[in-house]
Amino acid sequence: MALSTGVSSPSLLRRMNAAEVLRHAWSADAVTASDLIALTGLTRSTVLGVCDDLIDHGWMVSLADARSTGEYRKGRPARRYALARSAGHVVGVDAGRHHLTAVVADLRGDVVARVARRIDPDGTADDRRRTVSRLVDDVLGEASLGDADVLAVALGVPAPTDSEGRSPIEVGADFWVLMNPDYTGLFAERGWAVVVENDANLAAVAEAAAASRADREVDGGAGAGAATSFVTLLAGERFGAGFVLDGALVRGSRGAAGEMRLLDLVEGVGSADGLGALLRDWARAARELGTVPASSPLRAIPLDELEAPAVLAAADAGDATALRLVEKAAERFGRVCAMLSGMLDVDRIVVAGAVAPSLGLLLDRTTPWLSRFTHRAAPEVVASTLGDAVVTTGAVERALAHVRGHALELTLPGAADATRAS
């Protein structure tokens, strides 16, 4: 049915038609006028007029017609259009406690620049704001872009956030405020739309998007086939969870649905320390106690460089010391997964973050423990395929969702003259 039915205001009708045409252009490499007529139910003259408007305002471009590309041989050549993917950009930031990463992506979500660096985890809130701001400047420089080229920025923080991007101010929550030192105000000053979200929630957004693409392509992604109900766990320094239930991200009334401080109360767990932190700390403690034999590869690594990936690699190679640590972590992680499974009744738990690609053996050893701790069919536990890009991938998805939802309210860089002329 055509969108024009029942709408009396010509300007509102025009915007509705434009929004519907643009919606179909976001994910397609190219669409023809005939495609858009079939997808929207609009008349040919309306589709052509809307496409001309969107071209004038910078959102779409006209491509060579199908006949000139050799794809069409008889009759009137089909007009072909595409999203103007480089007409605007979004920024995605993973503002973690120890590491920062920023990316710039075009309107199709393809990353065009990436910058990462370490940050002092014990620095002040002002230090963190300045460092994140410089990081964003640097990634824009890498992309040869300026502030005027950015439509939205999304930042992932290791703290709960409300609908306005603020973290709770309450007793014992100083860490949350430090991790989220008013990024909304910081980047709103640049004239951008700003989204500040919990990093595990953004990881879940990324996994859901990967699963959706995998389902469309019948291939790929850790979330493939399980996009409706799953948990994404960031498992590096501390556990953080993003819950997708029945296809919707669950945030809670104050954005704290995925906070894992309740692990302090779980028998055999006792803290929210992540797999990366546990394996590192256990391996270093074993070294200091002198319980790592000289034959172990863990003895050859300088103590301050002994990290979880080295332990996991040694376990993969059959080192007995590393295998004991992995088994210890697997039992503990099995309890974490059983708790989440019991509360949420999910089919899949996706372990994400920089440590995820190295977790194969540990996850294999988690499965028997999880089966022991659960009273029904245990959920599948898998490693994310997105590696250390999972939070920035979710941030880009979230920023683009904002742009798509407000596209006709935005003025693209370079399109101001066309907007005034219209």
Side-chain angles (χ1 to χ4, degrees):
M1 182 175 65
L3 293 179
S4 56
T5 302
V7 179
S8 58
S9 167
S11 61
L12 177 59
L13 170 61
R14 191 172 181 177
R15 287 177 63 84
M16 291 175 62
N17 290 340
E20 181 66 5
V21 168
L22 189 56
R23 182 173 72 85
H24 292 288
W26 283 112
S27 59
D29 290 331
V31 289
T32 66
S34 297
D35 293 334
L36 293 171
I37 291 167
L39 290 167
T40 65
L42 298 169
T43 66
R44 181 178 180 82
S45 61
T46 298
V47 164
L48 295 180
V50 166
C51 287
D52 286 343
D53 285 346
L54 290 171
I55 290 170
D56 288 344
H57 288 78
W59 285 107
M60 292 177 67
V61 293
S62 179
L63 304 176
D65 63 47
R67 177 176 292 166
S68 66
T69 65
E71 299 175 13
Y72 191 94
R73 300 187 182 280
K74 294 183 179 180
R76 180 169 52 186
R79 298 193 187 188
R80 300 169 70 247
Y81 304 95
L83 181 73
R85 59 192 307 157
S86 297
H89 292 78
V90 298
V91 175
V93 181
D94 179 359
R97 183 183 181 189
H98 296 82
H99 296 89
L100 305 173
T101 304
V103 301
V104 177
D106 64 20
L107 295 179
R108 286 289 297 277
D110 290 337
V111 173
V112 298
R114 180 181 187 273
V115 174
R117 63 174 55 110
R118 293 185 63 86
I119 186 171
D120 180 2
D122 300 317
T124 67
D126 286 341
D127 291 339
R128 186 165 285 267
R129 282 166 59 92
R130 283 191 294 269
T131 303
V132 170
S133 185
R134 285 196 299 268
L135 180 79
V136 170
D137 289 338
D138 291 346
V139 78
L140 289 176
E142 286 286 322
S144 299
L145 299 172
D147 283 7
D149 298 298
V150 176
L151 299 176
V153 59
L155 303 97
V157 297
T161 62
D162 64 17
S163 60
E164 296 182 359
R166 298 172 301 197
S167 294
I169 300 175
E170 57 188 54
V171 176
D174 292 347
F175 175 79
W176 291 344
V177 176
L178 175 63
M179 292 298 103
N180 180 18
D182 189 24
Y183 288 131
T184 299
L186 176 65
F187 289 104
E189 292 175 357
R190 302 196 186 197
W192 302 343
V194 186
V195 177
V196 181
E197 179 62 273
N198 172 260
D199 53 3
N201 284 347
L202 290 182
V205 168
E207 292 296 334
S212 178
R213 285 191 295 270
D215 286 344
R216 290 196 300 269
E217 298 167 4
V218 199
D219 186 71
T228 57
S229 293
F230 64 92
V231 174
T232 299
L233 270 177
L234 291 178
E237 287 299 313
R238 290 180 64 82
F239 284 120
F243 305 148
V244 174
L245 302 180
D246 298 326
L249 180 69
V250 178
R251 303 185 71 259
S253 60
R254 292 173 297 174
E259 282 302 307
M260 300 297 282
R261 291 186 177 187
L262 80 167
L263 292 179
D264 295 354
L265 308 177
V266 177
E267 182 180 357
V269 180
S271 78
D273 292 342
L275 295 173
L278 291 170
L279 290 171
R280 177 196 65 221
D281 294 347
W282 290 345
R284 292 182 182 184
R287 277 275 298 277
E288 291 174 339
L289 289 172
T291 59
V292 180
S295 59
S296 171
L298 302 182
R299 277 282 293 271
I301 302 171
L303 190 62
D304 62 352
E305 298 177 13
L306 184 52
E307 299 285 347
V311 179
L312 293 164
D316 286 339
D319 177 67
T321 300
L323 284 169
R324 284 194 295 272
L325 297 179
V326 165
E327 188 67 28
K328 182 180 178 181
E331 178 184 358
R332 181 180 174 124
F333 190 48
R335 294 176 185 273
V336 173
C337 293
M339 181 270 297
L340 291 171
S341 173
M343 287 196 306
L344 300 171
D345 191 25
V346 293
D347 301 314
R348 178 171 292 200
I349 296 173
V350 181
V351 188
V355 74
S358 305
L359 289 176
L361 179 62
L362 191 153
L363 297 187
D364 288 344
R365 297 201 170 201
T366 296
T367 300
W369 289 108
L370 178 55
S371 298
R372 183 182 304 183
F373 296 141
T374 54
H375 302 289
R376 61 176 185 82
E380 183 181 18
V381 182
V382 299
S384 170
T385 61
L386 299 176
D388 63 359
V390 66
V391 175
T392 53
T393 299
V396 166
E397 290 284 344
R398 188 66 182 80
L400 285 175
H402 179 89
V403 171
R404 290 169 185 149
H406 300 81
L408 300 182
E409 304 164 23
L410 301 172
T411 300
L412 290 171
D417 292 341
T419 301
R420 285 193 292 269
S422 67

